[in-house]
């Protein structure tokens, strides 16, 4: 079964997001742990959470994926920014633990000047400080498009972070189709080759989720601009190949495509389901 959904707001609660997911024929969704541009987080609502669990079970939904705020930067040059990132991560992972088992996706960070190696070291240090053996979730590092000084723009950079982590089993990787394409991995002409390389460098067993986005910007543009499926440089044929690839077809997939209303996601989900081979 295709595990598919889209990014949704949980400002009206988790239950509401699950209901929206069902309304667009999805079976999972992604949400921000807190305001993506800031750090504000809603109070934990036990009643909403219990109703959400019950609803998900009745409707056969898969657990959602939680996304960290964009402003979180574990490898800033500024120690105060790093300390803040650590506090946010600690609080988010605690929240994730109270949710039970959710995967938590994060952008590795931007080194803003002090260099990639130092950045990788700082990211790993922060994660090693924050992630404890009793944490019952899985943290995903997202592959990035390579804009500015973002870390995680190549399989090698992700590998370098993973190598420095102590509790390796608590970490996985999220592959964003727009990001890897913009970063110079040719999923359009050589999906197999890209996945073979991923396997060699990171290991396909580490791949735990996909973000399905077309790209407004061309191959190797190093720009992170999502487009609706079929309205960018990746194209619908490649998405059909991606959802049916034997190394990918069982993974949960999340649309982060720009749409004004849920209808856009509903249409994309319908298209993907029509073209998915069980
Ligand atoms: Fe992301
Ligand atoms: Fe993404
Ligand atoms: Zn993006």
């Amino acid at each position: 079964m295709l595990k598919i959904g889209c990014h949704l707001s949980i400002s009206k609660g988790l239950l509401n997001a699950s209901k929206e997911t069902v309304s667009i024929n999805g079976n999972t969704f992604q949400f921000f742990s807190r305001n993506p541009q800031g750090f504000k987080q809603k109070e934990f609502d036990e009643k909403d959470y219990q109703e959400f669990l019950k609803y998900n079970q009745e409707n056969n939904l898969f657990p959602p994926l939680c996304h960290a705020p964009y402003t979180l930067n574990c490898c800033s040059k500024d120690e105060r920014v790093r300390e803040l990132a650590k506090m946010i991560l600690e609080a988010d992972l605690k929240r994730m633990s109270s949710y039970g088992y959710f995967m938590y996706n994060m952008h590795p960070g931007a080194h803003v000047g002090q260099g990639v190696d130092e950045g990788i070291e700082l990211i790993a240090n922060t994660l090693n400080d924050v992630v404890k053996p009793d944490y019952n979730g899985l943290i995903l590092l997202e592959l990035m498009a390579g804009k500015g000084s973002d870390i995680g723009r190549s399989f090698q950079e992700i590998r370098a972070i993973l190598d420095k982590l102590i509790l390796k089993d608590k970490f996985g990787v999220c592959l964003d189709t727009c990001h890897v394409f913009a970063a110079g991995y040719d999923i359009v002409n050589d999906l197999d080759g890209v996945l073979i390389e991923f396997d060699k460098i990171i290991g396909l067993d580490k791949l735990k989720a996909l973000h399905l986005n077309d790209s407004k910007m061309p191959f190797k543009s190093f720009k992170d601009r999502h487009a609706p499926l079929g309205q960018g440089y990746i194209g619908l044929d490649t998405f059909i190949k991606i959802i049916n690839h034997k190394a990918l077809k069982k993974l949960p997939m999340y649309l982060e495509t720009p749409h004004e209303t849920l209808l856009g996601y509903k249409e994309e989900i319908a298209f993907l389901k029509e073209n998915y081979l069980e």
Side-chain angles (χ1 to χ4, degrees):
M1 189 195 298
L2 183 62
K3 292 180 190 152
I4 183 75
C6 67
H7 187 91
L8 293 171
S9 162
I10 57 157
S11 59
K12 293 186 191 133
L14 287 163
L15 175 64
N16 186 68
S18 282
K19 286 182 174 169
E20 287 182 341
T21 296
V22 167
S23 81
I24 57 176
N25 298 314
N27 52 20
T28 182
F29 65 92
Q30 175 177 266
F31 65 98
F32 282 123
S33 63
R34 52 185 74 225
N35 179 343
Q37 308 296 351
F39 293 115
K40 250 178 82 93
Q41 186 172 45
K42 278 183 63 174
E43 290 287 306
F44 182 68
D45 181 342
E46 182 68 38
K47 183 169 167 277
D48 172 55
Y49 177 63
Q50 291 304 331
E51 286 172 358
F52 153 85
L53 284 182
K54 189 166 165 263
Y55 183 87
N56 286 7
Q57 201 165 28
E58 286 165 3
N59 292 278
N60 300 314
L61 299 192
F62 295 99
L65 173 63
C66 181
H67 195 305
Y70 295 139
T71 36
L72 186 102
N73 189 0
C74 297
C75 63
S76 169
K77 240 200 304 214
D78 184 340
E79 201 190 325
R80 283 167 312 178
V81 176
R82 292 204 305 272
E83 280 307 312
L84 181 64
K86 208 165 165 176
M87 267 170 53
I88 296 293
L89 267 176
E90 263 165 359
D92 275 6
L93 297 188
K94 204 171 146 210
R95 173 69 61 91
M96 289 307 106
S97 288
S98 54
Y99 281 153
Y101 185 87
F102 282 12
M103 294 197 291
Y104 182 80
N105 177 63
M106 60 183 282
H107 298 178
H111 66 75
V112 284
Q114 81 279 39
V116 178
D117 293 343
E118 174 76 11
I120 286 171
E121 187 76 33
L122 290 170
I123 294 167
N125 290 347
T126 303
L127 291 171
N128 283 333
D129 279 352
V130 168
V131 181
K132 300 283 171 342
D134 61 351
Y135 177 59
N136 64 357
L138 196 65
I139 296 148
L140 308 187
L141 300 172
E142 182 170 354
L143 277 150
M144 303 307 291
K147 69 169 163 44
S149 64
D150 275 358
I151 292 184
R153 61 180 66 213
S154 66
F155 298 164
Q156 282 83 358
E157 286 186 12
I158 294 286
R159 174 80 258 166
I161 301 169
L162 293 172
D163 279 342
K164 291 182 188 295
L165 297 171
I166 300 166
L167 299 170
K168 292 190 172 21
D169 295 353
K170 307 261 182 219
F171 294 90
V173 175
C174 174
L175 189 150
D176 184 310
T177 54
C178 167
H179 296 179
V180 294
F181 178 74
Y185 291 98
D186 194 356
I187 54 175
V188 174
N189 297 302
D190 190 16
L191 179 62
D192 275 326
V194 170
L195 292 172
I196 287 168
E197 195 178 341
F198 186 104
D199 195 34
K200 243 194 297 188
I201 297 169
I202 299 176
L204 280 168
D205 58 321
K206 280 283 175 199
L207 186 55
K208 302 295 181 186
L210 296 184
H211 285 164
L212 297 184
N213 304 305
D214 211 323
S215 175
K216 262 188 200 134
M217 293 295 176
F219 181 63
K220 252 186 179 168
S221 60
F222 305 108
K223 294 222 168 61
D224 181 4
R225 299 279 304 282
H226 301 186
L229 304 191
Q231 294 180 41
Y233 284 88
I234 297 177
L236 293 177
D237 288 348
T238 297
F239 287 102
I240 295 174
K241 278 190 225 155
I242 288 170
I243 60 171
N244 287 298
H245 196 285
K246 64 177 190 316
L248 309 175
K249 65 182 301 172
K250 296 231 157 61
L251 298 173
M253 305 185 192
Y254 303 89
L255 296 156
E256 298 174 312
T257 46
H259 292 293
E260 296 291 323
T261 67
L262 285 178
L263 186 65
Y265 298 110
K266 191 174 184 177
E267 287 170 355
E268 285 177 333
I269 289 172
F271 170 80
L272 295 170
K273 281 183 154 179
E274 265 162 44
N275 287 285
Y276 184 72
L277 306 165
E278 287 299 335

